[in-house]
Amino acid sequence: MENVIIKVVNKTAYILGDFEPGTLLVSSDSGTKLLVVGRRREIDARYIELLKVARELAEGAPETFSVSTALVVSTAVPRPGETVKQYQWPSGPGIYSPEGGFDLLEYSDTPHLWILGATGSGKSTLAKLLVERAAKEGRRVVVLDVHDEYCQTVQKVGGVCIPAVVPFCDLSDYELLALTGLLRVGQAIRMMRYLNFFRRAFCRLAKQIQIQDVKAALQKCADAMIMLDVIRTDTQSLTGHDSLIVEFVKVLKEEIGTVAFNALREVVKKDEDRMAAAMMYLLQALENSEVMLNYELPKVVAIKLLDFRSLFTVSDYMLAVVSYTFRYLMETQEDATVVVEETPRFLTDDVARRNLALFLSQARKFGTVGILLSQVPDELMQNTRLVVGKVGNPAYARKVAELSPQMPTAVARLLPQLSRGQFVYIDGQKTIPIRVVL
């Protein structure tokens, strides 16, 4: 018996036949594509009005039928009586829609993509294909690689993999606060001023003399900041001190000016504990970090953020690196694509969450597309285009429907039934089934 469309209501077609949910069908007459979203097996034809047509197809029709429900995903709407068959997706690597190749990097209004799916749904496969495409189009590409799995992909397109590096002299005050953990501490303004003065003086010094061991130099100069109230700047009082400390104190005075320098020395007398705490926070943050004075991000790069010491959280070090990366991309004002692996890691931490939300709201102004991978839905995805694969938890499917009113209810029910590589693309105007092939 042929698979026949027996009824069409509001772009929902009822088809005589038993098809797996997620299957894409094509009608024989109009070429319309239909996405199967549900099915009922062994339906008693005597009690189903819409199967009246099916009973008349041939003599000796069975008393029971299987009916599949499908959404029309093409512009044309099929007519009852048209036959359908399973659509044959392309077999070569790529991202495909029913109309052929599908470019997820193209957008009209909303640049960012939220790729949602359970483990094994194909999220990373999809992201890797997007990384390759973006690099081949000449875009700057940065992958925040929490799982250390993108090296091969970026190297394939001429990129590099690097450890998370702190470019100390390029950090903004906000990033310096993030690095030291002071973003999470109330009333940190005074310590921030101390850190600001220290960074300015140290980085100016680094331009004047060659520093071989950056961490050792930071330690000595931090000691000088703590002892600033007892170190005088005349030659006699500096005799006997380490030459690096001598140079640092001189440069600090030049950098912030004599008046501010003298005021700082007086303040340190009364606030030595806070100065010592600020330097301690800084040195502790840098102790187990990759530190460079200045740093230029490669054109295509995977930044390895895997850290077993903070496997389920966002460390201060990670937050500073991510914050710097976001700012760097916007300041370059190049067309860029940034992939955030394991987005939920950045959503459980209030500071990291605010940082990510700010990036999403500002990045579009500077030509940067964010691609966020997640196993769980979140309110932040309301400002993105959605690519949803198999969702293991039915509650997550309901949450997706709640956060995406434009999603047809039938599609939300379909999500837990999808197979690996099957996704649904949703924006404010359309819902499109897509297939990812690696």
Side-chain angles (χ1 to χ4, degrees):
M1 185 178 296
E2 290 184 312
N3 302 122
V4 180
I5 297 174
I6 54 181
K7 194 170 185 178
V8 180
V9 180
N10 295 328
K11 299 198 79 171
T12 298
Y14 298 90
I15 302 166
L16 183 64
D18 188 4
F19 295 100
E20 289 280 347
T23 301
L24 189 67
L25 306 176
V26 57
S27 67
S28 57
D29 296 338
S30 62
T32 300
K33 308 296 194 310
L34 305 103
L35 176 65
V36 177
V37 294
R39 63 181 174 181
R40 295 190 66 184
R41 294 175 172 173
E42 300 299 315
I43 300 174
D44 191 330
R46 292 172 296 178
Y47 304 111
I48 305 298
E49 180 69 22
L50 59 86
L51 289 179
K52 286 182 178 179
V53 175
R55 287 180 58 82
E56 299 171 358
L57 290 175
E59 291 185 6
E63 289 298 314
T64 58
F65 298 89
S66 294
V67 175
S68 297
T69 306
L71 293 182
V72 178
V73 293
S74 298
T75 304
V77 177
R79 296 183 303 274
E82 292 187 31
T83 60
V84 299
K85 62 180 180 180
Q86 189 166 334
Y87 177 76
Q88 296 299 314
W89 291 95
S91 58
I95 304 167
Y96 302 99
S97 77
E99 307 306 320
F102 193 57
D103 188 359
L104 287 170
L105 297 178
E106 285 190 1
Y107 62 91
S108 55
D109 298 319
T110 305
H112 307 306
L113 279 174
W114 190 288
I115 302 177
L116 177 68
T119 300
S121 61
K123 298 188 305 295
S124 296
T125 299
L126 173 55
K128 289 172 183 177
L129 289 171
L130 292 174
V131 165
E132 290 184 22
R133 182 173 192 127
K136 289 176 181 177
E137 290 179 355
R139 297 175 64 90
R140 179 180 287 277
V141 179
V142 176
V143 182
L144 301 176
D145 191 0
V146 175
H147 290 153
D148 198 11
E149 61 174 309
Y150 284 81
C151 271
Q152 186 175 355
T153 300
V154 298
Q155 289 171 349
K156 182 179 176 181
V157 290
V160 296
C161 299
I162 62 171
V165 176
V166 173
F168 183 69
C169 292
D170 292 335
L171 295 181
S172 67
D173 287 350
Y174 177 89
E175 292 145 13
L176 198 55
L177 280 174
L179 176 66
T180 56
L182 293 175
L183 272 181
R184 310 176 196 277
V185 178
Q187 304 297 320
I189 295 177
R190 189 175 297 178
M191 282 194 282
M192 180 64 251
R193 289 174 180 167
Y194 296 156
L195 290 171
N196 178 278
F197 288 153
F198 176 79
R199 178 175 54 81
R200 287 165 54 188
F202 184 85
C203 294
R204 180 170 177 170
L205 177 63
K207 293 178 180 179
Q208 297 178 6
I209 65 174
Q210 187 173 8
I211 297 178
Q212 299 291 344
D213 188 336
V214 174
K215 289 186 179 180
L218 285 167
Q219 176 70 65
K220 290 182 179 180
C221 294
D223 291 341
M225 285 290 286
I226 298 170
M227 300 185 298
L228 198 60
D229 60 319
V230 297
I231 298 178
R232 297 178 58 185
T233 55
D234 58 89
T235 305
Q236 184 177 357
S237 66
L238 287 173
T239 302
H241 284 286
D242 187 285
S243 61
L244 185 63
I245 291 179
V246 173
E247 294 300 324
F248 174 79
V249 173
K250 290 180 178 179
V251 169
L252 176 62
K253 184 175 181 180
E254 294 172 1
E255 176 65 25
I256 67 176
T258 301
V259 174
F261 177 81
N262 291 334
L264 180 62
R265 292 181 66 228
E266 292 300 316
V267 168
V268 171
K269 290 180 182 179
K270 304 174 184 178
D271 202 25
E272 185 176 352
D273 290 344
R274 197 167 307 193
M275 173 67 84
M279 295 299 106
M280 178 197 70
Y281 283 134
L282 177 62
L283 295 174
Q284 188 176 33
L286 296 175
E287 181 179 359
N288 297 311
S289 307
E290 290 280 342
V291 183
M292 297 178 65
L293 297 179
N294 303 97
Y295 183 65
E296 183 174 346
L297 211 58
K299 179 86 171 183
V300 178
V301 60
I303 302 175
K304 297 190 282 187
L305 293 174
L306 180 63
D307 185 351
F308 289 101
R309 292 167 298 180
S310 56
L311 193 58
F312 305 108
T313 60
V314 177
S315 65
D316 297 327
Y317 175 58
M318 183 188 296
L319 181 58
V321 171
V322 171
S323 299
Y324 168 76
T325 302
F326 287 163
R327 179 174 61 85
Y328 183 97
L329 291 174
M330 289 187 283
E331 285 182 350
T332 57
Q333 298 191 29
E334 296 181 53
D335 288 339
T337 299
V338 57
V339 177
V340 182
E341 241 279 335
E342 197 61 36
T343 301
R345 287 272 293 274
F346 298 91
L347 302 178
T348 56
D349 181 283
D350 290 341
V351 176
R353 183 186 183 87
R354 287 197 302 270
N355 194 50
L356 181 59
L358 182 62
F359 168 73
L360 291 177
S361 65
Q362 297 296 319
R364 61 179 300 172
K365 302 175 184 177
F366 302 96
T368 298
V369 174
I371 299 175
L372 301 97
L373 280 65
S374 177
Q375 296 183 35
V376 298
D378 186 85
E379 292 179 357
L380 284 181
M381 73 186 197
Q382 291 177 299
N383 299 318
T384 69
R385 296 171 291 146
L386 293 182
V387 179
V388 190
K390 180 180 177 62
V391 176
N393 189 333
Y396 289 169
R398 292 192 293 270
K399 185 68 173 178
V400 172
E402 177 187 328
L403 295 173
S404 308
Q406 70 273 30
M407 174 187 286
T409 303
V411 172
R413 290 197 296 265
L414 168 68
L415 298 180
Q417 305 176 72
L418 293 176
S419 301
R420 177 178 175 81
Q422 293 180 332
F423 291 87
V424 179
Y425 171 84
I426 304 160
D427 62 18
Q429 300 175 339
K430 51 190 176 293
T431 298
I432 302 174
I434 61 176
R435 182 66 59 92
V436 176
V437 182
L438 186 62

